[in-house]
Amino acid sequence: MNLRFPFIAAPLLVLAYGVIRILDGLDGSRGPGIAWTTGHLAFIAALVLFVPIFWRLRHMAGRTPPATVSAAAGTVGIAALVTQFAIDIVIGFMAADHDAMGPLFDQVQAVPGVQLAVYDAGPYLFYVAQLALIVHCALRKEVKAWTPVLVLVDLMLPMIDKDLIPVGAIFLLVSFWPLARREAPAARHALVHA
């Protein structure tokens, strides 16, 4: 499978989400509206692309049990984040304005298990798995030693300030660029020998 596209597109879509999020907040509040919806759709698209990325990283990490657990956990984390962002989009469509969104979020989060699975724990599986898989690959010398550092910076910047998401996405793009370049010859080789 040629993963050149996902390795480049996923960070670019995260970058788009981060920029749109900043633009959406210029009026003092975020959502609802076209920027809210567009930004969330961009992030969902990035998450979908992370599914094949995670399983390719598992392959690069030697298909070991820890790599398999990481890829599976990351996929569960992706499902949690997609659910969270889908809820955001639906609430954005339902709410007349930003103030009306709060009570709708409260209703959703009051459903038993939703807060834990979709907001408090589930999404972190995505981030932890991403770092774990890259570390596995670095230990096997499948990626450069600096790659986990760039991925870690990407993961930490939004915790400092969510407006740093675009900067983190650039770090992620730099860390994934060599992986995309690596996938291109593999895809050509597969076509030649098909």
Side-chain angles (χ1 to χ4, degrees), residues 122-148:
Y124 290 100
L125 294 173
F126 167 73
Y127 303 109
V128 171
Q130 186 177 339
L131 183 60
L133 285 165
I134 288 292
V135 168
H136 286 307
C137 290
L139 291 173
R140 289 179 51 90
K141 301 199 184 314
E142 292 287 337
V143 298
K144 300 289 186 188
W146 49 262
T147 304

Side-chain angles (χ1 to χ4, degrees), residues 71-82:
T75 303
V76 171
I78 288 167
L81 280 165
V82 167

Side-chain angles (χ1 to χ4, degrees), residues 2-191:
N2 180 5
L3 287 179
R4 185 175 193 177
F5 175 77
F7 276 121
I8 298 301
L12 290 177
L13 286 163
V14 173
L15 174 65
Y17 164 69
V19 170
I20 293 168
R21 183 185 174 281
I22 290 169
L23 295 175
D24 188 27
L26 290 178
D27 63 356
S29 66
R30 291 189 171 85
I34 189 73
W36 175 266
T37 303
T38 305
H40 279 69
L41 288 173
F43 197 76
I44 287 173
L47 289 168
V48 169
L49 292 174
F50 267 100
V51 174
I53 288 170
F54 279 1
W55 290 95
R56 176 63 182 147
L57 292 173
R58 172 199 170 255
H59 176 79
M60 292 170 58
R63 299 179 186 171
T64 62
T68 302
V69 169
S70 295
T75 303
V76 171
I78 288 167
L81 280 165
V82 167
T83 302
Q84 182 184 128
F85 274 67
I87 290 168
D88 289 357
I89 291 170
V90 171
I91 287 176
F93 281 124
M94 293 174 62
D97 57 27
H98 179 76
D99 292 336
M101 294 171 75
L104 294 172
F105 279 119
D106 291 342
Q107 287 177 7
V108 170
Q109 293 169 1
V111 174
V114 169
Q115 184 69 39
L116 179 65
V118 178
Y119 293 93
D120 292 341
Y124 290 100
L125 294 173
F126 167 73
Y127 303 109
V128 171
Q130 186 177 339
L131 183 60
L133 285 165
I134 288 292
V135 168
H136 286 307
C137 290
L139 291 173
R140 289 179 51 90
K141 301 199 184 314
E142 292 287 337
V143 298
K144 300 289 186 188
W146 49 262
T147 304
V149 176
L150 293 182
V151 171
L152 181 61
V153 169
D154 165 54
L155 298 175
M156 296 301 293
L157 285 175
M159 293 181 193
I160 296 167
D161 185 338
K162 288 190 178 179
D163 286 347
L164 295 174
I165 290 172
V167 178
I170 292 168
F171 278 99
L172 186 62
L173 179 61
V174 170
S175 67
F176 277 4
W177 187 262
L179 297 171
R181 289 177 47 99
R182 175 181 173 162
E183 289 300 315
R188 283 194 294 271
H189 179 74
L191 287 174

